[in-house]
Amino acid sequence: EPEVTQTPSHQVTQMGQEVILRCVPISNHLYFYWYRQILGQKVEFLVSFYNNEISEKSEIFDDQFSVERPDGSNFTLKIRSTKLEDSAMYFCASSGQGLRNEQFFGPGTRLTVL
Amino acid sequence: AQSVTQLGSHVSVSEGALVLLRCNYSSSVPPYLFWYVQYPNQGLQLLLKYTSAATLVKGINGFEAEFKKSETSFHLTKPSAHMSDAAEYFCAVGGTNAGKSTFGDGTTLTVKP
């Protein structure tokens, strides 16, 4: 069964460093998403991406964040200068064609900012 | 706009007892609804989903949920709790390529021996 994959599973970085979280969506999907879950809290939407541009973003997704689909298979989330409060689990999701196709979530990347 | 309210941040049941986790939603369009389970330090596992077909949805691990439009509810049930059911459970609305998923705050299920 096709699945969304994410790398790395755990990333540790120093405050102020740039990180790139990588996702490989399901191959024929066209819509891509990033969500965040701070430890002990609920899952929050960050951004959606379609046709090589951002469709929607939340207030969390400020100028420190960016997304990119650099090739036909990867979808990345970049945090330019990490803060302690960026420590969280980051989930990638993708969905296929059709108006109401559901999102499929990846296993997540745990980001720890020291 | 869409939102989810999970009633009860913590639910404790005895092994073998009925599990009932409550979820109410708000959505401006016919909703897609999901229940996910999350074990400590792990990702989201889809338990079941409602996508406008049958109102009673059966999922994995013996869980089921009933969509009640009149009550705007999508409560999760399991007839007999098992120790391995102890986890965090999230209800979510939306979650299609028409828009983002909106998650509830989660319910921690504890199962007592």
Side-chain angles (χ1 to χ4, degrees):
Chain A
E1 184 177 333
E3 58 183 19
V4 177
T5 59
Q6 292 185 241
T7 54
S9 57
H10 191 188
Q11 172 109 35
V12 181
T13 189
Q14 295 291 325
M15 189 170 55
Q17 295 296 304
E18 175 183 286
V19 295
I20 297 177
L21 309 183
R22 290 182 167 79
C23 169
V24 178
I26 294 173
S27 63
N28 61 347
H29 283 185
L30 300 177
Y31 299 79
F32 314 111
Y33 313 82
W34 283 102
Y35 292 82
R36 178 182 84 174
Q37 184 185 31
I38 294 171
L39 185 64
Q41 298 185 23
K42 68 179 178 182
V43 179
E44 301 172 290
F45 169 77
L46 289 178
V47 66
S48 59
F49 190 86
Y50 170 71
N51 200 26
N52 281 319
E53 60 183 29
I54 290 174
S55 308
E56 184 180 0
K57 60 183 180 179
S58 71
E59 62 274 11
I60 302 168
F61 194 87
D62 61 23
D63 291 343
Q64 293 297 315
F65 291 90
S66 62
V67 290
E68 190 178 31
R69 187 154 164 82
D71 53 41
S73 60
N74 289 282
F75 179 52
T76 62
L77 174 69
K78 182 192 291 186
I79 309 175
R80 288 189 183 82
S81 178
T82 50
K83 309 182 190 70
L84 295 176
E85 55 264 35
D86 293 327
S87 294
M89 181 78 93
Y90 289 81
F91 293 104
C92 173
S94 69
S95 58
Q97 286 192 358
L99 185 61
R100 302 295 298 275
N101 279 299
E102 70 185 82
Q103 296 169 20
F104 291 82
F105 283 82
T109 292
R110 179 165 298 285
L111 175 65
T112 301
V113 182
L114 302 176
Chain B
Q2 58 192 27
S3 65
V4 170
T5 302
Q6 290 185 241
L7 299 173
S9 59
H10 290 86
V11 170
S12 181
V13 301
S14 298
E15 191 173 19
L18 172 71
V19 175
L20 171 60
L21 305 183
R22 298 177 188 275
C23 172
N24 287 91
Y25 71 91
S26 171
S27 176
S28 56
V29 298
Y32 274 24
L33 294 158
F34 305 84
W35 276 101
Y36 295 90
V37 61
Q38 186 178 40
Y39 297 98
N41 298 311
Q42 294 191 25
L44 300 168
Q45 181 180 10
L46 180 66
L47 277 177
L48 49 78
K49 61 186 179 186
Y50 168 76
T51 57
S52 74
T55 56
L56 182 62
V57 181
K58 294 187 184 298
I60 62 171
N61 301 339
F63 284 94
E64 62 181 38
E66 186 172 9
F67 172 71
K68 292 187 177 179
K69 184 178 179 181
S70 61
E71 298 177 8
T72 60
S73 69
F74 190 58
H75 301 330
L76 182 71
T77 60
K78 182 174 180 178
S80 177
H82 193 272
M83 296 297 289
S84 61
D85 295 327
E88 188 80 10
Y89 290 80
F90 292 97
C91 181
V93 65
T96 71
N97 56 22
K100 62 187 180 186
S101 291
T102 299
F103 286 78
D105 290 337
T107 297
T108 302
L109 176 66
T110 302
V111 182
K112 299 175 292 186

